[in-house]
Amino acid sequence: MNWQEILSEEKQKPYFQQIHSFLESERSQGKTIFPAQDDIFNAFNLTSFDNLKVVILGQDPYHNHNQAHGLAFSVQENVDIPPSLRNIYKELEQSINAFMIPNHGSLESWAKQGIFLLNTTLTVEAHIANSHSKIGWEIFTDTIIKTISNNKKNVAFILWGAHARKKAKLIDKSKHLILESAHPSPLSSYRGFFGCNHFNLCNQYLVEKNIKIIDWNII
């Protein structure tokens, strides 16, 4: 199984064609959509189905210019690191001895190691958070989560915040690890994200399953 066959099957379905039509209509009206069209499926392009070993779920792409590039929590290089990602780096620094906080927010090196950085909504209108949350993307991303759960084993699913934690019901916990905590946003990070130790727990699980661990340092 690979992403190409999974995606081609979903793209034939009416709900997905409606998403496509909606985005085309919005662009034709001069609205700016993030991420750029070529980056919408970046998580799929950078993390193959076979190589996937960790899933980190986000919610909505960043909605300011030059930020979103198709990976949850990640931003393009040479832009300010968003507050949630800064807190992710702080938790990494506190829990992983060798972790060095980088000077950028691109998580492409994680994606290439097998961390699938999936937002549950894949597009957003510029400067309007959650503006595409009801256009059908969650039908698609719920299908992707269930496909991973059903067709792989020993994947670590990392669910931060209430929105991501609702997706636990889509995952077979007898086959996979589910790690849950508060969201790394400044509004909630002190309610259980800091100190969650998810990065170590994830690697401990991979060691138990004889899977190569993640190097959490950002290249």
Side-chain angles (χ1 to χ4, degrees):
M1 180 168 282
N2 60 50
W3 289 134
Q4 192 170 358
E5 57 185 323
I6 296 165
L7 291 176
S8 61
E9 184 179 332
E10 287 306 302
K11 285 177 180 178
Q12 303 306 313
K13 295 180 179 177
Y15 85 87
F16 201 98
Q17 292 172 3
Q18 287 169 9
I19 294 172
H20 181 74
S21 298
F22 174 85
L23 295 176
E24 289 289 296
S25 172
E26 294 288 283
R27 289 192 187 99
S28 71
Q29 295 173 51
K31 293 182 180 177
T32 300
I33 308 296
F34 296 133
Q37 198 161 359
D38 289 347
D39 289 341
I40 291 173
F41 295 99
N42 238 356
F44 300 83
N45 296 333
L46 291 173
T47 307
S48 73
F49 192 83
D50 284 346
N51 191 40
L52 186 157
K53 51 181 113 170
V54 179
V55 175
I56 298 180
L57 281 187
Q59 183 169 355
D60 198 39
Y62 296 114
H63 52 79
N64 290 327
H65 286 278
N66 302 317
Q67 289 185 306
H69 63 139
L71 303 176
F73 293 102
S74 179
V75 289
Q76 299 179 57
E77 293 192 29
N78 304 315
V79 298
D80 289 342
I81 300 169
S84 291
L85 185 53
R86 285 195 179 280
N87 284 340
I88 291 169
Y89 287 170
K90 284 179 189 173
E91 171 62 19
L92 278 159
E93 187 180 42
Q94 289 165 13
S95 59
I96 304 287
N97 286 335
F99 184 79
M100 303 281 292
I101 291 183
N103 62 2
H104 66 86
S106 174
L107 303 180
E108 284 194 16
S109 62
W110 283 6
K112 290 171 182 174
Q113 288 185 74
I115 302 178
F116 189 51
L117 296 160
L118 180 67
N119 280 319
T120 57
T121 298
L122 296 191
T123 58
V124 68
E125 184 180 342
H127 316 305
I128 308 175
N130 292 313
S131 48
H132 290 180
S133 62
K134 301 286 193 284
I135 69 169
W137 278 125
E138 288 206 36
I139 302 170
F140 172 69
T141 52
D142 281 1
T143 300
I144 295 300
I145 294 164
K146 286 186 279 191
T147 300
I148 295 167
S149 177
N150 293 341
N151 293 281
K152 291 187 70 75
K153 60 181 182 179
N154 305 329
V155 173
F157 287 84
I158 298 178
L159 312 179
W160 295 324
H163 179 82
R165 294 171 82 168
K166 286 176 186 168
K167 306 300 181 182
K169 65 180 183 291
L170 306 174
I171 302 160
D172 183 348
K173 63 179 77 168
S174 71
K175 292 169 59 183
H176 305 289
L177 174 69
I178 302 175
L179 297 171
E180 300 183 47
S181 79
H183 196 276
S185 148
L187 297 173
S188 57
S189 54
Y190 289 94
R191 295 188 214 138
F193 174 74
F194 286 131
C196 69
N197 201 33
H198 282 178
F199 305 105
N200 279 317
L201 292 171
C202 176
N203 272 350
Q204 286 170 22
Y205 178 77
L206 295 177
V207 168
E208 288 168 13
K209 303 301 180 183
N210 294 312
I211 300 168
K212 186 179 179 183
I213 64 170
I214 300 297
D215 178 359
W216 294 106
N217 271 298
I218 312 295
I219 299 170

